[in-house]
Amino acid sequence: MTGAWVVIVVLAAAVIAGAAWIGIRAALAHGHLRAVQATAQDMRSLLDDPTAMASTLAEAADHTAAARALTSDPIWRAAEGIPWLGAQLGAVGVLTGAVDDAVGDALTPLALSVSQLDLTALRPQSGRIDPAPLAGLGADAGRAAERLQAALATVSQIDRGALIGPVRDAVDQVADLLATAHGGADAFARAGDLLPSMLGAEGPRDYLLLFQNNAEWRSLGGIPGAMALVHVEDGRVELVRQESTADYRRYRESVLDLGPEVHGIYGANPGRWIQNITQVPDFAVSASLAQEMWAREHDGQRVDGVISFDPVALSYLLKATGPITTPAGDRLTASDVVKTLLRDSYLRFDRPADQDAFFAGAAEAVFSAVTAGRLDTARLVSALGRAADERRLLVWSAHPDDQAIIDGTALAGRLPGSDDQTARFGVYLNDGTGSKMDFYQAATPSVRWVSCESGPDGVTGVAEVSVTIENNAPADAADLPRYVTSGGEYGLEPGTVRTVAYIYLPPGFDLVDASVTGDVGFGGGVHDGRRVVSVSVDVEPGASATLTLAARPSEPSAPRLALVSTPTIGGASGQEATCRT
């Protein structure tokens, strides 16, 4: 064999050996990462069994360290310079490094901190809540959130356009896991910073509680029905008074200047009727209107904040408190409270005031159980977290420092925000019938890329958002109480439901096309840089209607689409789609 052939054979053997080396190490690294994938799915599971989770994460850290070592040796690094193949190997190396940083430097220390937290210390005692345990955890959670954010930023810098499908999918999955873990850590950190001041450590506070009624849709959930004033001082929580929004007057003009954009889309109604304040899908607007209306009805008293929740959130709380008994003697459980409040109460009580009193009684009973400490603390934290994730629990503070902490979380209930990774649409539903028929309606929103192409600067293509509304009322819906159907007050046959939908496009997206089944009316405008399309549609019992919008980004967009929607009885936000090319 000549010298040249010897060189060729040696080089070929080296290439084959190198490929085998990389392939084996990649397979081993994949096995390690699969072993830890489920661990980071939900930070809130830390509270189910913190000690066991701390141990599990410590084991996971060993796996991630091994995966990182397998994908960062000199041979692997050298292969990252190979055209095309190098991009795949480089992405895998970045992913394993980011996951190792997240698990080893962020999640494991936080889990250890949580495991040392006595959850029983968070249980209210004689109406007083001590925020000190969470405040101590907040600092550790803040450090974990910073490290998770750094890991997520590293993954976000990977050029997805150069990757093959399986590697690109892995990038998306790791980004999702890191974002979820960061959200959990960030929630702990913000709670530790926020709770002391909100619980009156720096002086007494008064909060207005709004109970949204999902049987009559509004953008943020439902019309405010029952209300309550809560006084907080040095951790002690007291329910001061309860009212019905039915007793509030209708103002001749909006109580606050809504601005030309909001007024152009919604008119003055959100600022004239308290039942319409949640029509604008920005809780900062809704809460400011509620604060002003409360002040006008109560000799200028200005509350320090507004907190909103709905019957579905109430059902989550009942999983923590167990069944409760209302002042009227009714027993409510997690499985039946929604049906009882949003359907049965209207068949039982003829007067709206009696219905609101029943709502208020249910809220008071749950409030009493929580403040008295008759609950499972871990389940309470889980219930509050789930309600916040689904935008069923919303919080606004009149104190700028507190509001700065709330902003950026699901609790804030702001307009859908977009970032480098995700472009968010909004689908907000409102009853136009003046009825309580939305108990019988189901809304199914969805979002997808119709066509898309990934590039170094982002994704181009056409996105589609749709929502199907089904009227599942019984065939004899016309025989339901007039207060439920509105009795044809707005020119509709009893049982037919009019829904007004407001579709928010992400900033930088332009409307391409729109279609809807049935008789409709279109409108819209622009709200804070977002194109808004409004559609009105009537649906008879047993029928359905589907609204579909197509939109195109004016410049490269984030690869992932997400949908924020009105939290109805049957569902809430959570739909996503990622460009696959």
PDB file of all heavy atoms in Angstrom, residues 507-534:
ATOM      1  N   PRO A 507     -48.465  42.813  17.968  1.00  0.00           N
ATOM      2  CA  PRO A 507     -47.866  44.003  17.345  1.00  0.00           C
ATOM      3  C   PRO A 507     -47.072  43.600  16.111  1.00  0.00           C
ATOM      4  O   PRO A 507     -46.331  42.606  16.116  1.00  0.00           O
ATOM      5  CB  PRO A 507     -46.941  44.541  18.453  1.00  0.00           C
ATOM      6  CG  PRO A 507     -47.555  44.061  19.731  1.00  0.00           C
ATOM      7  CD  PRO A 507     -48.116  42.712  19.409  1.00  0.00           C
ATOM      8  N   GLY A 508     -47.246  44.362  15.035  1.00  0.00           N
ATOM      9  CA  GLY A 508     -46.522  44.077  13.803  1.00  0.00           C
ATOM     10  C   GLY A 508     -47.219  43.114  12.874  1.00  0.00           C
ATOM     11  O   GLY A 508     -46.728  42.857  11.761  1.00  0.00           O
ATOM     12  N   PHE A 509     -48.384  42.572  13.267  1.00  0.00           N
ATOM     13  CA  PHE A 509     -49.147  41.673  12.398  1.00  0.00           C
ATOM     14  C   PHE A 509     -50.246  42.462  11.684  1.00  0.00           C
ATOM     15  O   PHE A 509     -50.905  43.312  12.289  1.00  0.00           O
ATOM     16  CB  PHE A 509     -49.782  40.540  13.200  1.00  0.00           C
ATOM     17  CG  PHE A 509     -48.875  39.354  13.417  1.00  0.00           C
ATOM     18  CD1 PHE A 509     -47.731  39.468  14.192  1.00  0.00           C
ATOM     19  CD2 PHE A 509     -49.173  38.122  12.857  1.00  0.00           C
ATOM     20  CE1 PHE A 509     -46.897  38.384  14.409  1.00  0.00           C
ATOM     21  CE2 PHE A 509     -48.351  37.024  13.063  1.00  0.00           C
ATOM     22  CZ  PHE A 509     -47.209  37.153  13.837  1.00  0.00           C
ATOM     23  N   ASP A 510     -50.436  42.155  10.405  1.00  0.00           N
ATOM     24  CA  ASP A 510     -51.477  42.807   9.605  1.00  0.00           C
ATOM     25  C   ASP A 510     -52.566  41.794   9.256  1.00  0.00           C
ATOM     26  O   ASP A 510     -52.280  40.615   9.003  1.00  0.00           O
ATOM     27  CB  ASP A 510     -50.886  43.371   8.313  1.00  0.00           C
ATOM     28  CG  ASP A 510     -49.830  44.432   8.584  1.00  0.00           C
ATOM     29  OD1 ASP A 510     -50.034  45.253   9.502  1.00  0.00           O
ATOM     30  OD2 ASP A 510     -48.796  44.431   7.884  1.00  0.00           O
ATOM     31  N   LEU A 511     -53.803  42.257   9.223  1.00  0.00           N
ATOM     32  CA  LEU A 511     -54.929  41.393   8.869  1.00  0.00           C
ATOM     33  C   LEU A 511     -54.883  41.055   7.385  1.00  0.00           C
ATOM     34  O   LEU A 511     -54.729  41.932   6.544  1.00  0.00           O
ATOM     35  CB  LEU A 511     -56.244  42.093   9.213  1.00  0.00           C
ATOM     36  CG  LEU A 511     -57.526  41.279   8.983  1.00  0.00           C
ATOM     37  CD1 LEU A 511     -57.582  40.091   9.936  1.00  0.00           C
ATOM     38  CD2 LEU A 511     -58.755  42.174   9.169  1.00  0.00           C
ATOM     39  N   VAL A 512     -55.017  39.769   7.077  1.00  0.00           N
ATOM     40  CA  VAL A 512     -55.035  39.297   5.695  1.00  0.00           C
ATOM     41  C   VAL A 512     -56.455  38.968   5.253  1.00  0.00           C
ATOM     42  O   VAL A 512     -56.887  39.333   4.158  1.00  0.00           O
ATOM     43  CB  VAL A 512     -54.125  38.064   5.515  1.00  0.00           C
ATOM     44  CG1 VAL A 512     -54.253  37.494   4.099  1.00  0.00           C
ATOM     45  CG2 VAL A 512     -52.685  38.418   5.831  1.00  0.00           C
ATOM     46  N   ASP A 513     -57.204  38.273   6.106  1.00  0.00           N
ATOM     47  CA  ASP A 513     -58.548  37.836   5.735  1.00  0.00           C
ATOM     48  C   ASP A 513     -59.339  37.560   7.000  1.00  0.00           C
ATOM     49  O   ASP A 513     -58.766  37.323   8.075  1.00  0.00           O
ATOM     50  CB  ASP A 513     -58.470  36.574   4.868  1.00  0.00           C
ATOM     51  CG  ASP A 513     -59.801  36.237   4.205  1.00  0.00           C
ATOM     52  OD1 ASP A 513     -60.665  37.137   4.138  1.00  0.00           O
ATOM     53  OD2 ASP A 513     -59.969  35.085   3.773  1.00  0.00           O
ATOM     54  N   ALA A 514     -60.674  37.576   6.889  1.00  0.00           N
ATOM     55  CA  ALA A 514     -61.553  37.261   8.004  1.00  0.00           C
ATOM     56  C   ALA A 514     -62.830  36.644   7.476  1.00  0.00           C
ATOM     57  O   ALA A 514     -63.353  37.082   6.445  1.00  0.00           O
ATOM     58  CB  ALA A 514     -61.872  38.509   8.824  1.00  0.00           C
ATOM     59  N   SER A 515     -63.334  35.625   8.154  1.00  0.00           N
ATOM     60  CA  SER A 515     -64.595  35.001   7.761  1.00  0.00           C
ATOM     61  C   SER A 515     -65.308  34.511   9.007  1.00  0.00           C
ATOM     62  O   SER A 515     -64.681  34.211  10.027  1.00  0.00           O
ATOM     63  CB  SER A 515     -64.346  33.822   6.812  1.00  0.00           C
ATOM     64  OG  SER A 515     -63.613  32.802   7.457  1.00  0.00           O
ATOM     65  N   VAL A 516     -66.622  34.405   8.939  1.00  0.00           N
ATOM     66  CA  VAL A 516     -67.409  33.942  10.069  1.00  0.00           C
ATOM     67  C   VAL A 516     -68.721  33.392   9.546  1.00  0.00           C
ATOM     68  O   VAL A 516     -69.244  33.860   8.531  1.00  0.00           O
ATOM     69  CB  VAL A 516     -67.652  35.080  11.087  1.00  0.00           C
ATOM     70  CG1 VAL A 516     -68.515  36.167  10.498  1.00  0.00           C
ATOM     71  CG2 VAL A 516     -68.257  34.538  12.373  1.00  0.00           C
ATOM     72  N   THR A 517     -69.246  32.374  10.226  1.00  0.00           N
ATOM     73  CA  THR A 517     -70.534  31.819   9.849  1.00  0.00           C
ATOM     74  C   THR A 517     -71.644  32.612  10.515  1.00  0.00           C
ATOM     75  O   THR A 517     -71.500  33.094  11.639  1.00  0.00           O
ATOM     76  CB  THR A 517     -70.623  30.352  10.291  1.00  0.00           C
ATOM     77  OG1 THR A 517     -70.362  30.265  11.695  1.00  0.00           O
ATOM     78  CG2 THR A 517     -69.628  29.491   9.548  1.00  0.00           C
ATOM     79  N   GLY A 518     -72.760  32.760   9.833  1.00  0.00           N
ATOM     80  CA  GLY A 518     -73.907  33.434  10.405  1.00  0.00           C
ATOM     81  C   GLY A 518     -73.936  34.922  10.110  1.00  0.00           C
ATOM     82  O   GLY A 518     -73.064  35.473   9.439  1.00  0.00           O
ATOM     83  N   ASP A 519     -75.002  35.579  10.623  1.00  0.00           N
ATOM     84  CA  ASP A 519     -75.145  37.021  10.459  1.00  0.00           C
ATOM     85  C   ASP A 519     -74.219  37.729  11.438  1.00  0.00           C
ATOM     86  O   ASP A 519     -74.221  37.446  12.628  1.00  0.00           O
ATOM     87  CB  ASP A 519     -76.588  37.452  10.725  1.00  0.00           C
ATOM     88  CG  ASP A 519     -77.556  36.844   9.719  1.00  0.00           C
ATOM     89  OD1 ASP A 519     -77.126  36.646   8.568  1.00  0.00           O
ATOM     90  OD2 ASP A 519     -78.703  36.564  10.100  1.00  0.00           O
ATOM     91  N   VAL A 520     -73.446  38.672  10.907  1.00  0.00           N
ATOM     92  CA  VAL A 520     -72.420  39.295  11.735  1.00  0.00           C
ATOM     93  C   VAL A 520     -72.362  40.797  11.515  1.00  0.00           C
ATOM     94  O   VAL A 520     -72.929  41.340  10.573  1.00  0.00           O
ATOM     95  CB  VAL A 520     -71.022  38.710  11.425  1.00  0.00           C
ATOM     96  CG1 VAL A 520     -71.003  37.217  11.681  1.00  0.00           C
ATOM     97  CG2 VAL A 520     -70.633  38.994   9.990  1.00  0.00           C
ATOM     98  N   GLY A 521     -71.615  41.421  12.400  1.00  0.00           N
ATOM     99  CA  GLY A 521     -71.244  42.810  12.218  1.00  0.00           C
ATOM    100  C   GLY A 521     -69.781  42.950  12.579  1.00  0.00           C
ATOM    101  O   GLY A 521     -69.333  42.423  13.595  1.00  0.00           O
ATOM    102  N   PHE A 522     -69.001  43.630  11.737  1.00  0.00           N
ATOM    103  CA  PHE A 522     -67.565  43.773  11.959  1.00  0.00           C
ATOM    104  C   PHE A 522     -67.238  45.189  12.417  1.00  0.00           C
ATOM    105  O   PHE A 522     -67.926  46.156  12.083  1.00  0.00           O
ATOM    106  CB  PHE A 522     -66.776  43.480  10.675  1.00  0.00           C
ATOM    107  CG  PHE A 522     -66.589  42.016  10.389  1.00  0.00           C
ATOM    108  CD1 PHE A 522     -67.479  41.337   9.574  1.00  0.00           C
ATOM    109  CD2 PHE A 522     -65.526  41.322  10.933  1.00  0.00           C
ATOM    110  CE1 PHE A 522     -67.313  39.991   9.310  1.00  0.00           C
ATOM    111  CE2 PHE A 522     -65.344  39.977  10.672  1.00  0.00           C
ATOM    112  CZ  PHE A 522     -66.245  39.307   9.853  1.00  0.00           C
ATOM    113  N   GLY A 523     -66.156  45.312  13.165  1.00  0.00           N
ATOM    114  CA  GLY A 523     -65.645  46.609  13.589  1.00  0.00           C
ATOM    115  C   GLY A 523     -64.214  46.429  14.037  1.00  0.00           C
ATOM    116  O   GLY A 523     -63.554  45.465  13.678  1.00  0.00           O
ATOM    117  N   GLY A 524     -63.739  47.371  14.852  1.00  0.00           N
ATOM    118  CA  GLY A 524     -62.385  47.211  15.362  1.00  0.00           C
ATOM    119  C   GLY A 524     -61.652  48.519  15.497  1.00  0.00           C
ATOM    120  O   GLY A 524     -62.255  49.599  15.553  1.00  0.00           O
ATOM    121  N   GLY A 525     -60.329  48.436  15.539  1.00  0.00           N
ATOM    122  CA  GLY A 525     -59.492  49.607  15.711  1.00  0.00           C
ATOM    123  C   GLY A 525     -58.078  49.179  16.065  1.00  0.00           C
ATOM    124  O   GLY A 525     -57.648  48.077  15.718  1.00  0.00           O
ATOM    125  N   VAL A 526     -57.376  50.043  16.766  1.00  0.00           N
ATOM    126  CA  VAL A 526     -56.010  49.770  17.210  1.00  0.00           C
ATOM    127  C   VAL A 526     -55.928  50.077  18.697  1.00  0.00           C
ATOM    128  O   VAL A 526     -56.411  51.110  19.162  1.00  0.00           O
ATOM    129  CB  VAL A 526     -54.985  50.624  16.440  1.00  0.00           C
ATOM    130  CG1 VAL A 526     -53.581  50.393  16.998  1.00  0.00           C
ATOM    131  CG2 VAL A 526     -55.027  50.301  14.953  1.00  0.00           C
ATOM    132  N   HIS A 527     -55.328  49.157  19.464  1.00  0.00           N
ATOM    133  CA  HIS A 527     -55.199  49.328  20.911  1.00  0.00           C
ATOM    134  C   HIS A 527     -53.765  49.035  21.302  1.00  0.00           C
ATOM    135  O   HIS A 527     -53.313  47.887  21.221  1.00  0.00           O
ATOM    136  CB  HIS A 527     -56.170  48.395  21.650  1.00  0.00           C
ATOM    137  CG  HIS A 527     -56.227  48.622  23.131  1.00  0.00           C
ATOM    138  ND1 HIS A 527     -56.982  47.835  23.982  1.00  0.00           N
ATOM    139  CD2 HIS A 527     -55.629  49.551  23.928  1.00  0.00           C
ATOM    140  CE1 HIS A 527     -56.835  48.271  25.215  1.00  0.00           C
ATOM    141  NE2 HIS A 527     -56.012  49.299  25.209  1.00  0.00           N
ATOM    142  N   ASP A 528     -53.057  50.068  21.709  1.00  0.00           N
ATOM    143  CA  ASP A 528     -51.682  49.943  22.185  1.00  0.00           C
ATOM    144  C   ASP A 528     -50.813  49.172  21.189  1.00  0.00           C
ATOM    145  O   ASP A 528     -50.092  48.242  21.550  1.00  0.00           O
ATOM    146  CB  ASP A 528     -51.662  49.254  23.544  1.00  0.00           C
ATOM    147  CG  ASP A 528     -50.330  49.435  24.274  1.00  0.00           C
ATOM    148  OD1 ASP A 528     -49.583  50.364  23.920  1.00  0.00           O
ATOM    149  OD2 ASP A 528     -50.044  48.650  25.190  1.00  0.00           O
ATOM    150  N   GLY A 529     -50.879  49.576  19.926  1.00  0.00           N
ATOM    151  CA  GLY A 529     -50.040  48.988  18.896  1.00  0.00           C
ATOM    152  C   GLY A 529     -50.530  47.670  18.347  1.00  0.00           C
ATOM    153  O   GLY A 529     -49.836  47.042  17.533  1.00  0.00           O
ATOM    154  N   ARG A 530     -51.721  47.232  18.746  1.00  0.00           N
ATOM    155  CA  ARG A 530     -52.270  45.962  18.287  1.00  0.00           C
ATOM    156  C   ARG A 530     -53.520  46.200  17.457  1.00  0.00           C
ATOM    157  O   ARG A 530     -54.429  46.908  17.892  1.00  0.00           O
ATOM    158  CB  ARG A 530     -52.619  45.057  19.477  1.00  0.00           C
ATOM    159  CG  ARG A 530     -51.432  44.711  20.370  1.00  0.00           C
ATOM    160  CD  ARG A 530     -51.917  44.258  21.728  1.00  0.00           C
ATOM    161  NE  ARG A 530     -50.838  43.835  22.614  1.00  0.00           N
ATOM    162  CZ  ARG A 530     -50.093  44.649  23.333  1.00  0.00           C
ATOM    163  NH1 ARG A 530     -50.305  45.970  23.265  1.00  0.00           N
ATOM    164  NH2 ARG A 530     -49.135  44.188  24.113  1.00  0.00           N
ATOM    165  N   ARG A 531     -53.576  45.593  16.293  1.00  0.00           N
ATOM    166  CA  ARG A 531     -54.778  45.668  15.479  1.00  0.00           C
ATOM    167  C   ARG A 531     -55.870  44.844  16.155  1.00  0.00           C
ATOM    168  O   ARG A 531     -55.641  43.709  16.587  1.00  0.00           O
ATOM    169  CB  ARG A 531     -54.501  45.112  14.066  1.00  0.00           C
ATOM    170  CG  ARG A 531     -55.735  45.002  13.170  1.00  0.00           C
ATOM    171  CD  ARG A 531     -56.213  46.360  12.711  1.00  0.00           C
ATOM    172  NE  ARG A 531     -57.440  46.271  11.946  1.00  0.00           N
ATOM    173  CZ  ARG A 531     -57.494  46.046  10.622  1.00  0.00           C
ATOM    174  NH1 ARG A 531     -56.373  45.909   9.932  1.00  0.00           N
ATOM    175  NH2 ARG A 531     -58.642  45.980   9.989  1.00  0.00           N
ATOM    176  N   VAL A 532     -57.073  45.414  16.263  1.00  0.00           N
ATOM    177  CA  VAL A 532     -58.197  44.744  16.911  1.00  0.00           C
ATOM    178  C   VAL A 532     -59.337  44.610  15.911  1.00  0.00           C
ATOM    179  O   VAL A 532     -59.705  45.575  15.228  1.00  0.00           O
ATOM    180  CB  VAL A 532     -58.693  45.532  18.144  1.00  0.00           C
ATOM    181  CG1 VAL A 532     -59.823  44.777  18.839  1.00  0.00           C
ATOM    182  CG2 VAL A 532     -57.539  45.785  19.111  1.00  0.00           C
ATOM    183  N   VAL A 533     -59.873  43.396  15.803  1.00  0.00           N
ATOM    184  CA  VAL A 533     -61.033  43.137  14.957  1.00  0.00           C
ATOM    185  C   VAL A 533     -62.180  42.712  15.867  1.00  0.00           C
ATOM    186  O   VAL A 533     -62.037  41.772  16.660  1.00  0.00           O
ATOM    187  CB  VAL A 533     -60.752  42.024  13.926  1.00  0.00           C
ATOM    188  CG1 VAL A 533     -61.994  41.753  13.083  1.00  0.00           C
ATOM    189  CG2 VAL A 533     -59.575  42.407  13.040  1.00  0.00           C
ATOM    190  N   SER A 534     -63.304  43.398  15.795  1.00  0.00           N
ATOM    191  CA  SER A 534     -64.472  43.013  16.584  1.00  0.00           C
ATOM    192  C   SER A 534     -65.527  42.401  15.675  1.00  0.00           C
ATOM    193  O   SER A 534     -65.734  42.847  14.539  1.00  0.00           O
ATOM    194  CB  SER A 534     -65.054  44.217  17.333  1.00  0.00           C
ATOM    195  OG  SER A 534     -65.532  45.193  16.423  1.00  0.00           O
TER     196      SER A 534
END
